[in-house]
Amino acid sequence: MALINEDYLKLPEDYLFTEINKKVNIFKVTRPASGSKVIHLDKGDASCILQNEISNALLNSVKEMADMNSTHSADTVSRTKELINLVLKTDYESRGIKLGAEEVFLNDSALNAASEVSDFLSKDNIIGVFDPSYPAYIYNNVMNGRAGEKMGDGHWSNLVYIPCDESCNFSPMPPKERVDVIYLSLPNNPTGTTLTTEELKKWIKYALATKTLIIFDASHAHYIQDKKVPRSIYEIKGAQKCAIELRSFSKTTGYTGTDFAFTVVPKEVFVYTEVGESISLNKIWHRKQTSKFSGLPYMTLCSAEALYTPQGQKELKERTEYYMKNAEIIRTKLLSKGLKVVGGENSPYVWAKTPEGVTSWRFFEQLLYEHNVVCTPGVGFCPGGEGYVRFTGFATREDTIEAMARL
Amino acid sequence: MALINEDYLKLPEDYLFTEINKKVNIFKVTRPASGSKVIHLDKGDASCILQNEISNALLNSVKEMADMNSTHSADTVSRTKELINLVLKTDYESRGIKLGAEEVFLNDSALNAASEVSDFLSKDNIIGVFDPSYPAYIYNNVMNGRAGEKMGDGHWSNLVYIPCDESCNFSPMPPKERVDVIYLSLPNNPTGTTLTTEELKKWIKYALATKTLIIFDASHAHYIQDKKVPRSIYEIKGAQKCAIELRSFSKTTGYTGTDFAFTVVPKEVFVYTEVGESISLNKIWHRKQTSKFSGLPYMTLCSAEALYTPQGQKELKERTEYYMKNAEIIRTKLLSKGLKVVGGENSPYVWAKTPEGVTSWRFFEQLLYEHNVVCTPGVGFCPGGEGYVRFTGFATREDTIEAMARL
């Protein structure tokens, strides 16, 4: 008799984004045909790939793959090594960080990497998450049996929630409760807020003192403008002993789903057996990688290489600036309407407080029905997101301006 | 203190294919420069994408994605639904199988789907696998804590191995031991052998009687030529109550890694809680899908649609025939050399018994050093593969003919 992993029974029926889609569809079906175009400022990803360097690399890779006599896959192994060297040079050495090539693992998305690291960990760890935070981190721990039960207020009984809200001026500090593993997503999704070098030092100190593992999700690192805000956790001394870092380009280059992502797992990061034996997480990651990962798809390899050419880096920077300008337009408008706003300065996400007494979902519906603009209800990210909504800078400039003009 | 999932410590340092690569690299470095070209008959995937219909769909999708004003992602949801209807019509209704659209889940690979289904299941299930079988099934169960310990002979202590070898004439029958979950990969990888409708009926009868879940990996279904061999497990009455089916196109269309795959999870397939409550696996799969899957990448959606046009189906058939002709060339040659051979008739894999007293790795090395041809040592697939090697039909015709001429 096949037995179910009963932790899966705790998963919700629908994910936040499915719920939003349903509500938008109902609106589209019921509203008068004369209404204006619905503008999506809830997009979580760049939907347009970088032009020229990257799109050409993809086009050429498809042509190569369609040639029966092509030897395109012959040197994949050496090209993959070279790509890792480019990553190290461009994203780390340039910021004074020294890492070895065997400490970088390529993968297809930060989302999958976060799910895999959750699988690596014992069921018995106490997990800390920001409130609000990206829901996938929580669901991974639900599936792995670490979340406990969902309580009446929407929190999970066994997770330690670390407020990322007005109470701490959006600068979460290490919790008083013991945690074994902590997710730091910076810039945070959904709040768009960051921590400075000085603030992050406190987290590293905490992690080193308590042998806590930090899962640092730096998927939005390219949006950081402020010099006092590190792009990589390894800019902080000691981080190579307690943190792994997840990186992805789905938020910038626009090839979501056929994505280039990587995870940094320094050799000095240790996890522990029940009897206290220390194990290098890098060693375990290598074993997992060799059993579960077949290498980057050829197209992804080619587009990732294009991303690291000088021209690719230039295009990446331009695209980042484009989305950040959108975020600025949103931020400025919302502030002018008297809303409290954070984010949008080091992140494409703008996090706005709804007017007194208006819930996230109520604000979402008002915006949809009155202005035909879609945002994301903050409560969907965690109970701590209630009373907020998220806007993103991933629409076109034209649509962003139009949506803001409607308010 | 972050605790490791100790089951991960049991994973091997290197996977079979990493080991083969290492050995081939050593050979390349040490052999005389005058040697002939190394021909790979160990490839597990088609490396060249289908021409015309599919390559054009990929090229057009990249162009659309690079257009900032493109609305390409607008109707992804409805196109995905339409794709599922095409799958049902083409791959199932044409064979008299009736399934609902909500019973088909798209995903990126059968490999990942197999890993996910392993995560869904309680640690306490007894797992049955063919011996030899695809190693990933075993590693998934190692990571999920169901395999027990690796024994001296290479078998895992808690798995039930079902011989797929000469002892049963390569037609494995249900085991006498109780199993809760059984992997049926047919055509089997690596042996290339299949089961007929009559033989499969016995498995369905067994599964229904014992509430065993069948994970039917039909990744190679398109290679089946024999009318007595079902392409889908649902050709057998009762299978919709005990089996899920994994499908993938990485073995035919050649866009591995940016792949189109799907899993069929009929609503009537039940799994059980510890207290015996029955749960529809479809419901759990839906929840997992909504929390973990962001939908098919746009490029994959476009190429999958192209695959289901009449022209796409024609190209799929032609490519399948091409690889099967390669397999036939290999099979014929090996038989003429007096080797015992199975497979290659309903599968691109040819499974050859090595001469008396020659191990899998010894034969692999002889072939590499004497003829510069790479095959896959059977023992890498499971202890039951010792004394066999696998050849695949995925090389070019020219290389296949050349490799066989060297023997």
Side-chain angles (χ1 to χ4, degrees), chain B residues 8-60:
Chain B
Y8 274 75
L9 301 177
K10 298 176 182 172
L11 283 177
E13 295 273 350
D14 274 322
Y15 195 53
L16 171 62
F17 303 108
T18 324
E19 261 185 85
I20 292 174
N21 282 340
K22 279 185 187 168
K23 288 195 194 273
V24 174
N25 283 338
I26 292 168
F27 166 72
K28 282 183 180 169
V29 170
T30 56
R31 70 166 179 164
S34 59
S36 60
K37 167 182 155 186
V38 175
I39 296 177
H40 282 270
L41 298 184
D42 62 330
K43 287 190 188 190
D45 288 309
S47 57
C48 175
I49 53 171
L50 287 178
Q51 271 97 352
N52 307 323
E53 197 78 352
I54 296 215
S55 57
N56 288 339
L58 284 170
L59 291 173
N60 291 334

Side-chain angles (χ1 to χ4, degrees), chain A residues 3 6 51 66 120 125 274, chain B residues 3 5-6 51 66 125 274:
Chain A
L3 296 173
E6 297 190 23
Q51 271 95 353
F120 285 158
N125 290 291
E274 279 181 25
Chain B
L3 298 173
N5 172 349
E6 298 190 22
Q51 271 97 352
N125 289 292
E274 279 182 26

Side-chain angles (χ1 to χ4, degrees), chain A residues 329 333 337 371 373 398-407:
Chain A
I329 291 167
K333 179 70 180 195
K337 301 296 284 182
H371 303 295
V373 172
E398 201 185 351
D399 279 356
T400 307
I401 291 171
E402 160 73 15
M404 288 302 110
R406 289 184 196 165
L407 299 189

Side-chain angles (χ1 to χ4, degrees), chain B residues 16-17 20-21 24 38-43 330 334 350 352 354 360-368 372-378 381 388-392 404:
Chain B
L16 171 62
F17 303 108
I20 292 174
N21 282 340
V24 174
V38 175
I39 296 177
H40 282 270
L41 298 184
D42 62 330
K43 287 190 188 190
I330 297 167
L334 297 177
V350 178
T354 58
S360 293
W361 278 110
R362 181 82 196 104
F363 192 88
F364 163 87
E365 293 195 338
Q366 280 177 357
L367 211 64
L368 177 60
N372 306 347
V373 172
V374 185
C375 64
T376 311
F381 291 97
Y388 289 87
V389 290
R390 189 191 76 173
F391 294 86
T392 76
M404 289 302 111

Side-chain angles (χ1 to χ4, degrees), chain A residues 139-200:
Chain A
Y139 294 139
N140 287 335
N141 285 290
V142 171
M143 291 184 258
N144 283 118
R146 288 181 214 106
E149 302 302 323
K150 195 170 188 176
M151 298 183 297
D153 69 352
H155 287 106
W156 290 83
S157 60
N158 290 356
L159 298 181
V160 172
Y161 289 88
I162 299 151
C164 180
D165 58 20
E166 284 182 307
S167 73
C168 62
N169 202 20
F170 291 93
S171 297
M173 283 292 104
K176 291 193 180 59
E177 302 94 322
R178 185 177 72 83
V179 297
D180 302 305
V181 179
I182 173 89
Y183 289 86
L184 295 186
S185 171
L186 292 164
N188 189 31
N189 180 6
T191 63
T193 55
T194 53
L195 292 178
T196 62
T197 301
E198 289 310 309
E199 288 162 340
L200 274 170

